[in-house]
């Protein structure tokens, strides 16, 4: 399957999905407090998305039952929301959530600290967010796909952390997962050329130990093989002549690229 380039008008249309995805993510993040179950977060998210004119992109995707993925501590991605999984003080939780608006998919994720977390986890969140911004900064014409992965990997490596290789970012548009795959590792100046009109979900998954993963028996939940914590940050980014433009924008967050 080929990469589907988006026109400037289509990128503007995708921002509606991006805005709702970012808004619901922020609202869910504010509700990540001790005692809350991941199913309660999921139900809140689905209501929020539907009442703001969207549909939950993840719900039913490949048979996924939830509107968001909730992945705690050593869980990396794809945690199914559950009434029996309750947040505890000291947890970190990756919330991955997408909203579809007017046929365009949105996708973004953030890892939140629940109550007071250990200095190691705090550092993991800081470094993984830095990885995300480094990857986004590399998403510009003239660069190649490997430059994004290299930028992400370099930040993690400097901090002595693991870079998950079994899961990647991806192109996004009318489908949540389009070509190309966007790995969080790579060599500079390698891979396909980045062109204006490409819209990518960049999503580093970084660990405090091994990068090796294991899929649990439900067929969804991905954990670190050594049980050490993982973090996951994701934004949807459009490549333009002027450089990277955030498509899934948190309205209250301003950060230069
Ligand atoms: Mg994604």
């Amino acid at each position: 399957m080929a990469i589907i380039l988006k026109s400037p008008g289509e990128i503007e249309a995708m921002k509606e999905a991006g805005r709702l995805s970012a808004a619901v993510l922020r609202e869910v993040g504010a509700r990540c407090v001790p005692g809350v179950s991941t199913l309660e977060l999921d139900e809140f998210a689905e209501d929020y998305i539907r009442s703001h004119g969207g549909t939950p992109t993840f719900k039913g995707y490949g048979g996924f039952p939830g509107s968001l993925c909730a992945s705690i501590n050593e869980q990396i991605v794809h945690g199914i929301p559950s009434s029996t999984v309750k947040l505890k003080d000291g947890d970190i939780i990756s919330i991955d959530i997408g909203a579809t608006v007017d046929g365009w998919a949105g996708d973004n994720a953030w890892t939140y600290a629940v109550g007071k977390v250990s200095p190691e986890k705090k550092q993991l969140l800081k470094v993984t967010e830095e990885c995300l911004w480094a990857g986004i900064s590399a998403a510009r014409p003239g660069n190649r796909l490997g430059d994004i992965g290299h930028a992400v990997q370099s930040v993690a490596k400097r901090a002595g952390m693991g870079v998950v290789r079994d899961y990647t970012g991806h192109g996004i548009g009318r489908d949540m997962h389009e070509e190309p795959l966007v790995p969080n590792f790579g060599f500079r100046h390698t891979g396909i050329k980045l062109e204006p009109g490409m819209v990518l979900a960049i999503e580093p998954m970084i660990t405090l130990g091994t990068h090796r993963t294991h899929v649990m028996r439900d067929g969804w939940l991905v954990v670190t093989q050594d049980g050490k914590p993982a973090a996951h940050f994701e934004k949807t980014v459009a490549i333009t002549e002027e450089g990277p433009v955030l498509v899934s924008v948190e309205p209250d967050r301003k950060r230069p690229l």
Side-chain angles (χ1 to χ4, degrees):
M1 210 175 76
I3 295 170
I4 304 167
L5 297 179
K6 280 81 183 178
S7 69
E10 288 174 324
I11 290 171
E12 283 308 307
M14 287 190 74
K15 283 183 182 170
E16 287 301 320
R19 264 194 284 273
L20 182 51
S21 301
V24 66
L25 177 61
R26 190 186 62 244
E27 292 298 325
V28 171
R31 286 161 176 77
C32 290
V33 294
V36 168
S37 78
T38 54
L39 186 65
E40 288 173 272
L41 297 175
D42 183 72
E43 287 169 349
F44 168 82
E46 181 169 1
D47 285 350
Y48 188 97
I49 291 170
R50 293 193 192 282
S51 67
H52 287 77
T55 52
T57 310
F58 294 11
K59 191 140 188 159
Y61 188 94
F64 190 80
S67 294
L68 56 75
C69 300
S71 311
I72 300 170
N73 297 331
E74 79 284 359
Q75 303 173 353
I76 305 168
V77 286
H78 302 165
I80 295 175
S82 164
S83 61
T84 60
V85 175
K86 294 196 171 159
L87 299 185
K88 297 187 301 292
D89 189 57
D91 283 343
I92 54 172
I93 177 170
S94 155
I95 301 290
D96 192 349
I97 189 163
T100 297
V101 178
D102 292 333
W104 296 102
D107 190 10
N108 59 178
W110 206 258
T111 302
Y112 298 98
V114 181
K116 196 171 159 42
V117 304
S118 69
E120 292 78 17
K121 283 180 173 173
K122 223 178 243 177
Q123 183 66 6
L124 173 65
L125 299 187
K126 185 169 166 274
V127 169
T128 310
E129 186 184 346
E130 278 172 23
C131 286
L132 172 68
W133 293 113
I136 291 171
S137 294
R140 54 182 77 245
N143 275 356
R144 290 176 179 268
L145 199 59
D147 290 299
I148 297 177
H150 183 263
V152 170
Q153 184 180 32
S154 300
V155 173
K157 214 172 162 186
R158 254 196 320 271
M161 294 183 185
V163 178
V164 170
R165 305 172 79 94
D166 296 338
Y167 301 86
T168 68
H170 48 90
I172 180 168
R174 293 201 177 273
D175 283 318
M176 175 164 60
H177 293 130
E178 295 184 353
E179 293 290 317
L181 293 179
V182 184
N184 292 307
F185 54 92
F187 294 99
R188 296 177 72 184
H189 313 313
T190 64
I192 57 159
K193 268 191 178 158
L194 301 179
E195 286 177 51
M198 288 182 180
V199 181
L200 306 175
I202 297 176
E203 49 178 319
M205 289 154 255
I206 306 298
T207 71
L208 281 180
T210 183
H211 67 276
R212 293 183 188 279
T213 69
H214 172 74
V215 180
M216 300 299 278
R217 284 176 66 184
D218 66 10
W220 283 103
L221 179 62
V222 181
V223 300
T224 57
Q225 271 189 14
D226 59 7
K228 295 211 170 141
H232 173 216
F233 288 70
E234 173 180 25
K235 284 193 179 291
T236 298
V237 180
I239 298 173
T240 73
E241 299 283 2
E242 288 76 41
V245 168
L246 292 179
V247 174
S248 58
V249 189
E250 286 176 83
D252 61 349
R253 190 185 171 84
K254 297 272 178 285
R255 165 141 187 166
L257 295 173

